[in-house]
Amino acid sequence: MSAVVVVESPAKAKTIEKYLGKGYKVLASYGHVRAFPKKDGSVDVDNNFALKYEVIEDKRKRLSDIEKALKKADELILASDLDREGEAIAWHVADEMEKRGKLKGKKVSRITFNQITRKAIQYAVANPTELNMPLVDAQQARSALDYLVGFTLSPLLWRKIRGGLSAGRVQSVALRLVCEREQHIRDFRPKEYWTVEATCANGEAATFKALLSTLDAKKLTKFDLNNQTLAHNAAQVVEAGGFVVSDVQKKKSKQHPAAPFITSTIQMEASRKLGFTARKTMQIAQKLYEGEEVDGERVGLITYMRTDSTSLSEEAIDEVREQINRQFGAEFVPNKPRVFKTKSKNAQEAHEAIRPTLFERTPESLKGSLSTDELKLYTLIWKRAVASQMEAAVLDQVRADLTAGNTILRANGSTLIFPGFRTLYIESTDEPSQGADDKTLPPLEVGDAIHISGVEPKQHFTEPKPRFSEATLVKELEAHGIGRPSTYASILNVLRVRKYVDMDKKRFVPTDVGEIVSKFLKDYFGDIVDTNFTADIESKLDAVARGECDWKPLLHDFWGPFKARIDHTQEHVKRSDVTHEATDEICPECSKPMAIKLGKYGRFLACTGYPECKVARPLNDNGETPAEPEMSDQICDKCQAPMVIKAGRYGKFLGCSTYPACKNIQPLEKPKDTEIPCPTCHKGTFLEKKSRRGKIFYSCSQYPKCKHALWNKPLDKPCPECGAPFVTEKVTKRNGTEHVCASETCTWKEQIQAPD
């Protein structure tokens, strides 16, 4: 007997074929093999939402290879990933082979596994199942909804705003969240408040801090001390002294570890701790899942990275508890394994959380096998998974009240009694702690006299909610039930690609175009971009995936009202209603009203009498006309004059303030240093830069002395064939992501990720 096994990526195919041995031919589909044609009508709304698929052009060869291999095989084993997309890929491959008449008399089976290890693969092959059609239907429904929104709403944006724009069922909700947060920041008015902090001692050598909590027998609220005079008067009362310990409360508390990673939490933590984008995190996780060479053998290092389950298998729990006992001691192993509740209603408990495939494979043991970024992410996954099953940390919390008459100071502190899981991992900081970061109090007893050595009134202002980072936006989307594990990275990436947002200090800032698109969608399609509506759609898709309802009624219920809204907006809304914003300002030349308009480079103020009157002025980020150029803290490296921030065709940049005498320009942000040494001059390192056309490239930091430049991203990984000091990452539509030797004389390359 022989079988053809179809997986998604070639890297995975190599590993699995080695595990299965003779009789099995493992081929890669390189992702989806069929898709909707890129034209209107692929979802036939007049024919009960019949779907029209076509083979993706560069997948014809992949399907031909599968077809050819099936001629000599008895069985087709579908082994794509164990999520909706993977189930759909499996179905498309089987359906296409059926249409070509290649499955007559052949067995078709489906296998799934959440880790690429010899044991897991052999078990999956020995226990095959059938295609999960409810999962396939849910994926088809999601694709159809996204198609209907994109192909219907995007052309409306072209006509009402400008060409080249797009709208998406989920991306538009994410954009709305970003824009609403920005408006919240603009509208926010800070409120002043003060605190009074005293430096105290009770005869011990160590001092401690206490805050004023009660003044004149009245418990202070946040804004009771709202100006300097009140704060200084309160400080004088504290300075008078006479404080005695009146109450001491002690209690032990336990701090429990976080659950092992799911897709959303690994993206959040990798963003916070490692500075990775969601897309980068998932690309690296994919490599760790599919396998790397370790001790001469290619092995999968982590379980499947698209999951919303926090469960660990019994085998994994036994293994991790042994690892904790071996590495940290028996006191760090809880009496019972810790069980975490999964928040997602549709989480498949057969799946596991993201964890190492072998816990004894420590990060230290992989230093010679992984790239720098791979090792960073693997370390994060290993620590989080191990810590999740370690004993809780125990803290001794103390609260003391210090009283003088009707005035009370309150001191809070805690001491780490037993570190537990904190020995290994602390969420959001990942720094081992032995109590150094905890506020500690000296031994205090009721009746102890307290000496006040200093009193400091501190001014504070309330602050708005911060802009979203990748981590906090993923958290917000997840909290609203928007998107699913496989979609977060693409949602965030498309906002950047469409120029709907810029990144400022790794935070999302909506562009002028992004805000106008969001306002248009909110004004005319408010329910479509409403978080509750989108979450409801996700819940209905989950119900389809569980086999509880059919998918076509879902499309029917959505399409009728949506199409009616499209037609009404097309007929009754003018372009100027969307792109023009009236102001109270009058044109200085013709006395007609001025309006804020959207131009090629952003918003500007212009006369409504255009084209007869061409008065126009630029606007800054606050929507105001700048009185003078915005100065930066940069100095021109040619004439030493200050640099100013300017806006041009390709965005904002730095220009010399003495222009046109000095025409020096520089990027607004400093180029990112890859820290890969230049092999030409051996002095500089490659910097990430952007060309005039907006394309990323990498050039030596010694430019113009050294003009070595690369279009592909250099990676800190030597070529395994010729020993060149680094390889590059090449991304193309045809071949996906490849690692390619940087040497012109070496032809080594390796497939990393299949094309979309």
Side-chain angles (χ1 to χ4, degrees):
M1 178 179 175
S2 61
V4 175
V5 182
V6 179
V7 297
E8 291 186 38
S9 77
K12 194 189 302 182
K14 292 178 185 176
T15 310
I16 293 175
E17 188 164 86
K18 184 166 56 178
Y19 290 157
L20 293 177
K22 291 182 179 180
Y24 292 91
K25 179 67 174 176
V26 184
L27 297 172
S29 70
Y30 287 77
H32 278 279
V33 296
R34 298 193 307 197
F36 295 139
K38 292 185 177 180
K39 58 184 179 181
D40 198 13
S42 296
V43 179
D44 192 345
V45 296
D46 297 324
N47 188 23
N48 196 26
F49 298 96
L51 306 182
K52 301 174 185 177
Y53 292 107
E54 68 177 15
V55 174
I56 300 169
E57 186 59 37
D58 60 0
K59 301 301 173 64
R60 294 186 185 279
K61 184 179 184 306
R62 311 299 174 195
L63 288 170
S64 295
D65 290 342
I66 296 170
E67 183 179 357
K68 183 178 178 181
L70 276 173
K71 292 179 181 178
K72 303 176 183 178
D74 304 308
E75 182 180 6
L76 172 63
I77 300 176
L78 304 163
S80 48
D81 291 345
L82 64 165
D83 56 10
R84 289 183 199 173
E85 295 299 320
E87 206 71 28
I89 290 170
W91 175 75
H92 279 294
V93 170
D95 189 59
E96 187 65 25
M97 291 301 108
E98 179 71 34
K99 287 181 177 179
R100 297 184 183 192
K102 303 303 176 184
L103 296 182
K104 291 180 181 178
K106 300 184 190 297
K107 181 181 177 182
V108 178
S109 57
R110 172 81 167 116
I111 66 171
T112 58
F113 39 85
N114 74 332
Q115 55 183 310
I116 303 178
T117 60
R118 188 181 302 275
K119 183 178 179 181
I121 300 302
Q122 291 176 347
Y123 178 84
V125 171
N127 297 274
T129 60
E130 297 180 347
L131 277 169
N132 185 332
M133 286 310 297
L135 273 187
V136 175
D137 290 344
Q139 191 276 340
Q140 290 194 106
R142 175 186 285 279
S143 296
L145 280 171
D146 292 343
Y147 176 91
L148 291 173
V149 172
F151 268 80
T152 312
L153 199 48
S154 295
L156 189 64
L157 294 180
W158 306 342
R159 291 187 287 268
K160 302 303 179 183
I161 302 177
R162 75 180 189 201
L165 301 179
S166 74
R169 187 180 57 84
V170 180
Q171 84 180 49
S172 298
V173 183
L175 177 61
R176 176 177 178 173
L177 291 172
V178 171
C179 291
E180 288 181 343
R181 179 61 58 87
E182 192 69 18
Q183 191 59 47
H184 160 75
I185 293 170
R186 290 192 192 118
D187 295 341
F188 186 82
R189 296 296 177 263
K191 292 181 67 176
E192 181 183 10
Y193 67 99
W194 290 70
T195 57
V196 176
E197 184 180 72
T199 303
C200 310
N202 67 334
E204 300 286 335
T207 60
F208 61 97
K209 303 287 187 180
L211 285 176
L212 177 62
S213 65
T214 301
L215 182 65
D216 294 333
K218 178 189 176 185
K219 186 173 178 63
L220 295 176
T221 61
K222 185 173 185 176
F223 297 106
D224 281 344
L225 303 179
N226 58 12
N227 60 57
Q228 186 176 21
T229 301
L230 289 174
H232 279 269
N233 290 340
Q236 288 176 358
V237 174
V238 176
E239 286 170 349
F243 286 90
V244 175
V245 178
S246 58
D247 184 44
V248 177
Q249 298 287 336
K250 296 180 180 179
K251 67 174 182 178
K252 280 187 170 57
S253 66
K254 285 189 175 182
Q255 183 181 2
H256 297 280
F261 283 130
I262 59 175
T263 304
S264 59
T265 54
I266 194 174
Q267 291 176 10
M268 293 179 208
E269 282 288 86
S271 173
R272 290 189 287 247
K273 287 185 170 67
L274 307 178
F276 290 175
T277 63
R279 188 176 189 183
K280 180 176 180 178
T281 297
M282 297 311 291
Q283 287 175 339
I284 297 172
Q286 182 88 31
K287 296 174 190 176
L288 295 174
Y289 167 66
E290 292 179 350
E292 292 287 10
E293 290 287 334
V294 178
D295 298 329
E297 183 181 11
R298 192 179 188 91
V299 293
L301 296 174
I302 65 169
T303 53
Y304 191 54
M305 64 284 160
R306 292 188 180 91
T307 176
D308 47 14
S309 172
T310 54
S311 300
L312 294 179
S313 67
E314 289 185 15
E315 181 183 0
I317 289 175
D318 291 341
E319 186 185 328
V320 71
R321 286 169 66 86
E322 288 178 13
Q323 179 68 27
I324 294 167
N325 184 53
R326 182 166 55 246
Q327 188 168 343
F328 300 99
E331 67 271 24
F332 286 86
V333 183
N335 292 331
K336 294 181 179 180
R338 188 172 279 105
V339 178
F340 298 92
K341 289 186 178 181
T342 298
K343 295 180 181 179
S344 174
K345 296 177 183 177
N346 203 48
Q348 299 179 54
E349 298 303 332
H351 294 190
E352 283 192 77
I354 304 169
R355 64 164 177 87
T357 54
L358 191 64
F359 282 97
E360 66 181 28
R361 196 177 283 129
T362 63
E364 291 74 19
S365 70
L366 295 176
K367 284 184 177 178
S369 304
L370 302 180
S371 69
T372 302
D373 286 345
E374 286 175 334
L375 184 60
K376 286 179 180 178
L377 191 63
Y378 180 82
T379 301
L380 199 65
I381 293 168
W382 188 90
K383 283 187 175 184
R384 175 83 166 226
V386 173
S388 74
Q389 290 300 321
M390 291 177 72
E391 188 59 87
V394 181
L395 295 95
D396 205 353
Q397 294 187 322
V398 181
R399 189 194 77 192
D401 285 347
L402 321 176
T403 303
N406 292 327
T407 303
I408 299 176
L409 300 174
R410 175 161 290 178
N412 292 291
S414 62
T415 303
L416 188 62
I417 304 301
F418 176 67
F421 74 93
R422 289 171 55 143
T423 303
L424 179 66
Y425 181 90
I426 301 175
E427 189 173 19
S428 299
T429 61
D430 203 26
E431 292 295 331
S433 173
Q434 301 299 328
D437 295 330
D438 296 297
K439 294 180 180 178
T440 58
L441 297 179
L444 296 172
E445 299 292 339
V446 173
D448 285 353
I450 299 298
H451 171 67
I452 305 295
S453 60
V455 180
E456 183 182 5
K458 292 184 177 180
Q459 184 185 37
H460 309 275
F461 291 94
T462 55
E463 295 182 349
K465 294 178 182 178
R467 287 169 173 158
F468 287 111
S469 64
E470 284 219 345
T472 55
L473 186 53
V474 168
K475 187 175 183 179
E476 188 78 5
L477 291 169
E478 185 183 43
H480 285 291
I482 298 167
R484 285 300 178 261
S486 61
T487 64
Y488 294 126
S490 61
I491 290 169
L492 305 191
N493 188 60
V494 77
L495 294 180
R496 286 187 288 258
V497 171
R498 296 295 181 189
K499 305 295 184 185
Y500 288 163
V501 297
D502 287 329
M503 300 302 290
D504 180 20
K505 298 177 181 177
K506 297 187 177 180
R507 300 269 175 176
F508 289 98
V509 183
T511 61
D512 290 340
V513 173
E515 291 203 74
I516 287 177
V517 168
S518 183
K519 185 177 184 302
F520 170 74
L521 294 176
K522 185 177 178 180
D523 288 347
Y524 300 102
F525 298 89
D527 54 347
I528 303 300
V529 294
D530 179 74
T531 53
N532 292 329
F533 175 84
T534 308
D536 182 57
I537 290 289
E538 296 289 1
S539 296
K540 290 177 179 177
L541 288 170
D542 288 347
V544 173
R546 294 191 296 268
E548 296 171 1
C549 60
D550 192 17
W551 60 286
K552 290 195 175 181
L554 170 60
L555 296 181
H556 186 273
D557 292 344
F558 170 83
W559 176 248
F562 178 66
K563 183 61 168 63
R565 190 83 53 79
I566 289 283
D567 294 341
H568 180 272
T569 306
Q570 173 63 38
E571 183 177 352
H572 295 94
V573 178
K574 296 182 294 184
R575 183 169 187 153
S576 59
D577 294 338
V578 181
T579 59
H580 293 186
E581 182 181 340
T583 70
D584 295 331
E585 191 167 342
I586 301 299
C587 176
E589 289 194 10
C590 71
S591 299
K592 289 186 177 180
M594 300 283 282
I596 297 174
K597 299 183 180 182
L598 178 67
K600 186 180 292 186
Y601 311 124
R603 294 189 299 171
F604 64 99
L605 191 67
C607 180
T608 55
Y610 180 86
E612 289 78 14
C613 179
K614 298 182 179 180
V615 171
R617 296 199 305 273
L619 295 174
N620 60 20
D621 291 340
N622 295 322
E624 301 168 348
T625 303
E628 56 186 38
E630 186 178 352
M631 302 300 294
S632 76
D633 57 1
Q634 301 287 320
I635 300 297
C636 177
D637 55 10
K638 291 188 176 180
C639 71
Q640 307 307 308
M643 300 289 278
V644 297
I645 299 175
K646 298 184 176 182
R649 182 176 181 182
Y650 302 107
K652 292 184 178 181
F653 64 95
L654 293 176
C656 184
S657 58
T658 64
Y659 179 87
C662 176
K663 298 181 180 179
N664 185 25
I665 61 172
Q666 296 174 6
L668 184 58
E669 295 182 3
K670 292 182 179 179
K672 181 181 178 182
D673 192 345
T674 66
E675 299 182 359
I676 306 294
C678 174
T680 301
C681 69
H682 303 290
K683 293 181 180 179
T685 56
F686 286 105
L687 303 179
E688 181 181 298
K689 296 184 177 180
K690 189 177 288 188
S691 71
R692 291 186 62 195
R693 299 284 181 184
K695 187 175 180 180
I696 299 294
F697 71 100
Y698 303 85
S699 70
C700 180
S701 59
Q702 295 295 305
Y703 179 86
K705 293 180 181 178
C706 177
K707 297 184 178 179
H708 192 168
L710 305 165
W711 283 115
N712 299 330
K713 180 181 180 180
L715 302 174
D716 184 17
K717 176 181 177 182
C719 175
E721 190 165 304
C722 73
F726 66 91
V727 298
T728 63
E729 184 176 84
K730 184 176 183 180
V731 182
T732 60
K733 288 184 178 180
R734 176 178 292 275
N735 299 321
T737 303
E738 297 177 302
H739 285 178
V740 181
C741 181
S743 172
E744 295 180 358
T745 59
C746 180
T747 58
W748 177 87
K749 63 180 179 179
E750 179 184 21
Q751 178 81 42
I752 300 300
Q753 186 174 6
D756 294 334

